[in-house]
Amino acid sequence: MLEEVVEYVQTYSPESDARTSEVFQAIIGLVHGTMDKLDLAEIPRRGAWGSVTAKNFPGALGEAFEAAILRAARSRRGIE
Protein backbone atom coordinates (compact mmCIF):
# COMPACT_ATOMS: atom_id res chain seq x y z
CA MET A 1 0.00 0.00 0.00
CA LEU A 2 2.85 2.38 0.79
CA GLU A 3 4.29 1.83 -2.67
CA GLU A 4 0.91 2.70 -4.20
CA VAL A 5 0.72 5.91 -2.18
CA VAL A 6 4.28 6.84 -3.21
CA GLU A 7 3.43 6.19 -6.86
CA TYR A 8 0.29 8.33 -6.51
CA VAL A 9 2.32 11.19 -5.02
CA GLN A 10 4.90 10.85 -7.79
CA THR A 11 2.18 10.88 -10.44
CA TYR A 12 -0.05 13.68 -9.18
CA SER A 13 2.24 16.00 -7.21
CA PRO A 14 4.84 18.35 -8.65
CA GLU A 15 7.56 15.98 -7.34
CA SER A 16 7.77 13.07 -9.75
CA ASP A 17 10.80 11.77 -7.85
CA ALA A 18 9.27 11.86 -4.36
CA ARG A 19 10.93 9.27 -2.16
CA THR A 20 9.25 6.58 -0.11
CA SER A 21 10.96 7.98 3.00
CA GLU A 22 9.46 11.43 2.34
CA VAL A 23 5.95 10.06 1.96
CA PHE A 24 6.36 7.91 5.06
CA GLN A 25 7.71 10.89 7.01
CA ALA A 26 4.67 12.94 5.97
CA ILE A 27 2.25 10.23 7.09
CA ILE A 28 3.98 9.67 10.42
CA GLY A 29 4.27 13.42 10.98
CA LEU A 30 0.53 13.76 10.45
CA VAL A 31 -0.30 11.02 12.93
CA HIS A 32 2.30 12.24 15.44
CA GLY A 33 0.80 15.72 15.33
CA THR A 34 -2.58 14.33 16.38
CA MET A 35 -1.44 12.16 19.28
CA ASP A 36 -3.12 14.46 21.81
CA LYS A 37 -6.44 13.67 20.03
CA LEU A 38 -5.76 9.95 19.62
CA ASP A 39 -8.10 7.73 21.67
CA LEU A 40 -6.91 4.14 21.70
CA ALA A 41 -9.00 2.97 24.65
CA GLU A 42 -11.84 1.61 22.50
CA ILE A 43 -9.68 -0.43 20.14
CA PRO A 44 -10.32 -4.14 20.72
CA ARG A 45 -7.38 -6.30 21.74
CA ARG A 46 -5.61 -7.94 18.84
CA GLY A 47 -6.11 -11.50 19.99
CA ALA A 48 -4.29 -14.62 18.86
CA TRP A 49 -2.41 -14.71 15.57
CA GLY A 50 -4.78 -15.54 12.74
CA SER A 51 -7.92 -14.69 14.71
CA VAL A 52 -10.60 -12.33 13.45
CA THR A 53 -9.63 -9.74 16.07
CA ALA A 54 -5.99 -9.93 14.98
CA LYS A 55 -6.99 -9.38 11.37
CA ASN A 56 -9.26 -6.47 12.35
CA PHE A 57 -6.66 -4.70 14.50
CA PRO A 58 -5.00 -2.68 11.70
CA GLY A 59 -8.39 -1.46 10.51
CA ALA A 60 -9.45 -0.45 14.02
CA LEU A 61 -6.15 1.33 14.53
CA GLY A 62 -6.59 3.13 11.21
CA GLU A 63 -10.06 4.25 12.25
CA ALA A 64 -8.64 5.64 15.50
CA PHE A 65 -5.96 7.51 13.53
CA GLU A 66 -8.60 8.89 11.16
CA ALA A 67 -10.78 10.08 14.05
CA ALA A 68 -7.78 11.78 15.68
CA ILE A 69 -6.89 13.53 12.42
CA LEU A 70 -10.46 14.77 12.05
CA ARG A 71 -10.59 15.96 15.68
CA ALA A 72 -7.29 17.79 15.27
CA ALA A 73 -8.43 19.43 12.03
CA ARG A 74 -11.69 20.57 13.63
CA SER A 75 -9.82 21.88 16.64
CA ARG A 76 -7.46 23.90 14.40
CA ARG A 77 -10.46 25.40 12.66
CA GLY A 78 -12.24 26.16 15.93
CA ILE A 79 -15.10 23.78 15.08
CA GLU A 80 -14.83 21.62 18.22
Side-chain angles (χ1 to χ4, degrees):
M1 287 186 282
L2 180 58
E3 290 174 0
E4 289 177 19
V5 173
V6 171
E7 185 177 319
Y8 191 89
V9 170
Q10 291 170 338
T11 301
Y12 296 105
S13 81
E15 294 298 328
S16 61
D17 64 344
R19 297 185 185 113
T20 301
S21 61
E22 294 170 318
V23 174
F24 187 74
Q25 183 178 0
I27 294 166
I28 294 302
L30 173 65
V31 173
H32 186 269
T34 65
M35 284 175 50
D36 62 326
K37 306 287 185 193
L38 185 57
D39 181 9
L40 301 174
E42 298 301 317
I43 294 178
R45 294 187 61 84
R46 182 172 49 239
W49 184 86
S51 69
V52 171
T53 53
K55 292 175 185 172
N56 291 338
F57 181 73
L61 193 55
E63 289 173 9
F65 289 159
E66 180 181 27
I69 291 166
L70 290 172
R71 281 192 289 274
R74 288 184 190 122
S75 179
R76 284 187 211 115
R77 290 179 176 84
I79 297 171
E80 255 185 336

